[in-house]
Amino acid sequence: MTTLMNTYGARTLTLTKGEGSRVWDDKGNSYLDAISGIAVCGLGYSHPALTKALTEQVGTLIHCSNYYNIPTQQKLADLLIEQSGMDKVFFSNSGAEANEAAIKIARKYANDKGLKNPAIIVTSNSFHGRTLATLSATGNTKVQIGFEPLVEGFIRVPFNDVAAIKAAAAEHSNIVAILVEPVQGEGGVRVPAANYLNELRAIADANGWLLMLDEIQTGNGRTGTFFAYQHNGILPDVVTTAKGLGNGVPIGACLARGKAADVLQPGNHGTTFGGNPLATRAGVAVIETLLAEGLIEQAKVLGDKLLADFKTRLAGNPKVVDIRGKGLMIGIELNAPAAELMDKARAKGILINVTSVNTIRLLPTFILTDAEANELVTKVVELVTEF
């Protein structure tokens, strides 16, 4: 009997090693990891630049509290500012904590202005984390059931529905911010209309709201730009990221700009582990490697090719409802629940994910070779055809 809490159900696979885009189990079987640890390992496994940086840092100083200066934290903040156009960074341990920081910024921004009982617009089908505030913001009742009462102060509207946000603005005078994912990941890799973020920016400006983007999954190059909002030529007021930033070392970041940048003051927020030397050294190595090896551009090229190949090879397949994606976030929506495909994929030597009940979610590494990309397409097409 396991002494672990039963939060993840049965786990039958034990991974012991990773290299490049592949992982191995304790029986010596290898798998092409097409979800890269749920959008975490963009650089793949055992990347030499990250291994070198972490080895050096472990031998020097793993942890230092935020009572003191942390040079790697400042360096990572500077790199993120250069890539994002934002002004200030707060480091946390995870994406959920980064979103908690964003929610606190919105609430304090409102209270500083004298707005009582502030509300944040969030969307259906979204996923923002599993802490009490972020699961309350999440638009999936399955993760909320059993944890009531939820945190108040969220107004939910359909995703990709600008009219619904305008209607909410007309009905509620206490709205202070909009919080959305540029592409919904957990919700089934749902890509909104091309100008959706531009329209949200305009609405936020017109109403004096903060535009807050959850880029926990889309950040760090996954969609083909460092942040997904850069496809739209806009700047949010707050953006959060995590997953790919540490390539496996836990780290999250909340970035803010302009009127949102100085909302949090000493004593308003903090963390013991967030932004420590090990995590931020990892983040620095990840960003420097992404830039030096041209991997963000590669994510776009590779993602476009995979999407086109899937659309060609699965054209006319009656089991396929839709194929969509942006960069290396690809979703193949099927016409029935498809969780069984994860085990069947494993038997073929690839790791995939099924999310939103019936959507195959693919989040491969940025270093996928042409041969591995062809292997991924061939095996997923086989799975869908046999489904």
Side-chain angles (χ1 to χ4, degrees):
M1 178 180 292
T2 179
T3 52
L4 299 173
M5 285 191 185
N6 189 30
T7 52
Y8 301 108
R11 291 185 283 188
T12 58
L13 183 63
T14 302
L15 299 179
T16 59
K17 186 179 78 171
E19 184 174 345
S21 298
R22 293 185 184 276
V23 291
W24 282 260
D25 67 16
D26 56 352
K27 298 178 180 60
N29 301 309
S30 73
Y31 306 87
L32 179 65
D33 186 359
I35 53 172
S36 61
I38 315 183
V40 167
C41 299
L43 302 184
Y45 295 90
S46 304
H47 192 287
L50 186 60
T51 300
K52 179 175 183 295
L54 290 176
T55 301
E56 290 175 354
Q57 194 62 49
V58 167
T60 306
L61 185 67
I62 293 176
H63 177 70
C64 170
S65 80
N66 283 295
Y67 288 151
Y68 312 108
N69 291 318
I70 301 174
T72 53
Q73 186 180 107
Q74 184 61 59
K75 185 171 183 179
L76 180 57
D78 292 344
L79 284 170
L80 283 169
I81 294 305
E82 288 172 11
Q83 295 304 312
S84 66
M86 306 298 280
D87 293 333
K88 298 282 181 68
V89 184
F90 172 80
F91 289 109
S92 59
N93 305 301
S94 67
E97 289 174 276
N99 282 338
E100 286 272 349
I103 291 167
K104 286 183 70 173
I105 287 173
R107 286 199 170 189
K108 188 163 186 304
Y109 174 70
N111 280 287
D112 288 349
K113 293 200 306 179
L115 179 63
K116 302 301 180 186
N117 301 315
I120 299 171
I121 290 181
V122 293
T123 64
S124 303
N125 215 38
S126 61
F127 184 83
H128 298 295
R130 294 181 184 275
T131 64
L132 197 53
T134 57
L135 77 81
S136 299
T138 289
N140 180 346
T141 54
K142 286 198 303 184
V143 305
Q144 297 172 336
I145 292 173
F147 298 104
E148 301 85 354
L150 300 177
V151 174
E152 297 179 346
F154 298 104
I155 297 171
R156 198 169 314 286
V157 300
F159 184 60
N160 194 24
D161 188 338
V162 172
I165 293 177
K166 292 180 178 177
E171 294 174 11
H172 303 275
S173 60
N174 61 335
I175 296 171
V176 68
I178 309 171
L179 172 63
V180 300
E181 300 158 277
V183 177
Q184 288 190 333
E186 191 75 16
V189 192
R190 300 192 179 279
V191 183
N195 64 343
Y196 180 58
L197 295 185
N198 302 81
E199 294 200 59
L200 296 191
R201 179 70 272 176
I203 293 171
D205 288 342
N207 289 279
W209 303 343
L210 301 180
L211 176 60
M212 308 200 301
L213 300 181
D214 175 345
E215 296 231 23
I216 304 303
Q217 191 164 137
T218 53
N220 309 293
R222 180 148 294 275
T223 70
T225 52
F226 193 89
F227 282 111
Y229 64 76
Q230 291 163 333
H231 291 290
N232 294 73
I234 63 157
L235 285 173
D237 300 297
V238 178
V239 61
T240 56
T241 189
K243 291 185 178 292
L245 183 56
N247 211 71
V249 177
I251 186 172
C254 177
L255 289 68
R257 178 183 70 89
K259 56 184 178 289
D262 293 315
V263 168
L264 295 181
Q265 293 293 310
N268 293 149
H269 200 47
T271 169
T272 297
F273 295 111
N276 79 13
L278 185 69
T280 48
R281 181 70 180 270
V284 169
V286 167
I287 293 179
E288 288 182 341
T289 303
L290 287 173
L291 299 176
E293 297 186 5
L295 294 178
I296 297 174
E297 295 79 5
Q298 186 167 319
K300 182 180 187 312
V301 172
L302 189 55
D304 288 348
K305 179 182 185 307
L306 287 172
L307 195 61
D309 286 352
F310 280 124
K311 287 185 175 179
T312 299
R313 302 265 310 262
L314 290 171
N317 189 314
K319 299 159 190 167
V320 177
V321 174
D322 191 19
I323 301 173
R324 52 186 177 258
K326 196 157 193 154
L328 287 174
M329 292 180 70
I330 296 173
I332 302 172
E333 183 178 345
L334 304 178
N335 62 358
E340 67 189 66
L341 292 183
M342 288 191 287
D343 286 340
K344 291 185 176 181
R346 191 180 303 170
K348 290 179 178 290
I350 61 171
L351 302 182
I352 65 168
N353 172 241
V354 172
T355 190
S356 194
V357 180
N358 61 347
T359 300
I360 297 173
R361 178 171 52 164
L362 302 173
L363 304 159
T365 72
F366 300 1
I367 60 169
L368 209 63
T369 65
D370 288 343
E372 288 169 334
N374 291 333
E375 177 186 349
L376 171 59
V377 172
T378 296
K379 290 184 175 178
V380 170
V381 168
E382 286 176 5
L383 283 169
V384 173
T385 303
E386 296 164 3
F387 179 56

